[in-house]
């Protein structure tokens, strides 16, 4: 939870889910998974009657790991932290900084869940959740995740404001590896609620967060850029990098200049420009015309062909006039 407090004594932070709602969500998930495991086990028992005892035991262990460990990990990864039970209870698993979880977070939570939930029938998870200030079990602590409430009365989820257009992609070379998750969470919560704060309090909080961010990136912001706009641009840059890593984008990813098929500066999926053939394509060569009519089989008189007229060269496109707008340095 962030330790930043507004002038109205409102703490900026997510609402962690407590033990009763989490227990209900886990119960619903286990009910679905155990039902599926029971159906699959009956089918495998019938299908493996001709095998020996060792082979049947191996198939049983494999089905147990696949259904009760692999399926929950896949569901949390693909749904970004919203399994069937969490969806019914209005919960979601997020990172410590409030962002969506990825495969490594779901893998750690699923592996620890075998010990916490299945091995001890939930006793370790209940004790850890009661001791933790944010209701986290051991799997959440090791994975750097947090289960939060998505549905709350009178607290709609505010979207993240986009950065100014002249700052988009300005910080593509910024090193963000030393920024802790707690600071990201504080910045996210401030940006989603800055319009609800007093202007003076909002400006002071933006300056404090910007100073903390600059102290961990070792790069001062450009002169004249407001603190709130600087925070928006840096958060947008991190979201762009997370999306590029999640979808495996290469040099042609949005916001990353690159070349496609040997053409410099061309975005991915864009066809070659008019008048330029695609790389590797054969270019038809011009055949000189002699002015004589082509012979026609059968001795029929040939019709003189019209002379070939070369097209006039296209007029050069005049450069785009400058608008006179210069973004702040």
């Amino acid at each position: 939870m962030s330790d930043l407090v507004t002038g109205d004594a409102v703490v900026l932070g997510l609402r962690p889910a407590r033990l009763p709602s989490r227990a209900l969500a886990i119960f619903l998930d286990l009910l679905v998974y155990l039902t599926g495991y029971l159906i699959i086990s009956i089918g495998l028992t019938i299908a493996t009657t001709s095998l020996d005892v060792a082979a049947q035991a191996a198939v049983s262990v494999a089905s147990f790991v696949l259904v009760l460990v692999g399926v929950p990990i896949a569901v949390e990864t693909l749904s970004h932290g919203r399994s069937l039970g969490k969806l019914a209870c209005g919960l979601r698993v997020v990172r410590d900084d409030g962002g969506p979880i990825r495969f490594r977070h779901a893998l750690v939570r699923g592996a620890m869940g075998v010990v916490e939930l299945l091995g001890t029938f939930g006793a370790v998870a209940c004790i850890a959740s009661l001791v933790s200030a944010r209701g986290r079990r051991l799997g959440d602590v090791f994975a750097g995740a947090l289960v939060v409430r998505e549905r709350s009365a009178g607290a709609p989820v505010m979207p993240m404001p986009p950065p100014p257009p002249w700052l988009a992609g300005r910080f593509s070379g910024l090193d963000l590896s030393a920024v802790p998750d707690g600071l990201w969470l504080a910045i996210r919560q401030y940006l989603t609620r800055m319009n609800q704060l007093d202007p003076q309090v909002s400006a002071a909080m933006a300056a404090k967060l910007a100073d903390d961010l600059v102290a961990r990136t070792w790069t001062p912001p450009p002169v004249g850029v407001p603190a709130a706009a600087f925070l928006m641009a840096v958060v947008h840059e991190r979201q762009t990098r997370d999306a590029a890593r999640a979808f495996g984008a290469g040099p042609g990813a949005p916001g990353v200049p690159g070349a496609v098929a040997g053409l410099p500066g061309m975005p991915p999926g864009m066809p070659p420009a008019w008048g330029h053939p695609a790389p590797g394509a054969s270019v038809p060569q011009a055949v000189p015309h002699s002015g004589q009519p082509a012979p026609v089989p059968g001795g029929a008189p040939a019709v003189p062909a019209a002379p070939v007229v070369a097209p006039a060269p296209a007029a050069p496109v005049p450069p785009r006039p400058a608008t006179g707008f210069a973004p702040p340095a």
Side-chain angles (χ1 to χ4, degrees), residues 263 272-283:
L263 299 179
W274 295 109
H276 298 276
S282 59
V283 180

Side-chain angles (χ1 to χ4, degrees), residues 261-317:
L263 299 179
M266 181 174 291
M270 180 70 68
W274 295 109
H276 298 276
S282 59
V283 180
Q285 302 293 331
V287 179
H289 195 271
S290 60
Q292 299 296 330
V296 179
V303 180
V308 178
V309 180
V317 180

Side-chain angles (χ1 to χ4, degrees), residues 80 242-250:
H80 299 290
D242 288 345
R245 284 194 297 266
F247 295 99

Side-chain angles (χ1 to χ4, degrees), residues 163-230:
W166 47 272
L167 279 181
R170 188 79 174 270
F171 303 100
S172 57
L174 198 63
D175 184 12
L176 305 177
S177 59
V179 181
D181 292 339
L183 182 56
W184 286 122
L185 176 59
I187 294 174
R188 285 173 180 268
Q189 292 301 311
Y190 164 75
L191 292 178
T192 55
R193 300 185 184 182
M194 64 179 183
N195 294 328
Q196 304 173 1
L197 306 176
D198 182 78
Q200 295 181 355
V201 175
S202 178
M205 295 182 64
K208 180 180 183 303
L209 292 172
D211 291 340
D212 294 342
L213 189 60
V214 169
R216 288 167 172 81
T217 56
W218 304 288
T219 303
V223 180
V225 176
F230 172 68

Side-chain angles (χ1 to χ4, degrees), residues 112-181:
M112 293 298 299
V114 176
V115 180
E116 290 185 274
L117 303 176
L118 300 179
T120 61
F121 298 98
V124 174
C126 291
I127 296 174
S129 181
L130 291 174
V131 172
S132 174
R134 295 191 287 180
R136 300 199 298 177
R137 61 180 178 90
L138 295 181
D140 300 329
V141 175
F142 285 108
L146 175 68
V147 180
V148 298
R149 299 187 62 86
E150 282 193 318
R151 295 197 298 263
S152 57
V157 178
M158 302 300 294
M160 185 71 62
W166 47 272
L167 279 181
R170 188 79 174 270
F171 303 100
S172 57
L174 198 63
D175 184 12
L176 305 177
S177 59
V179 181
D181 292 339

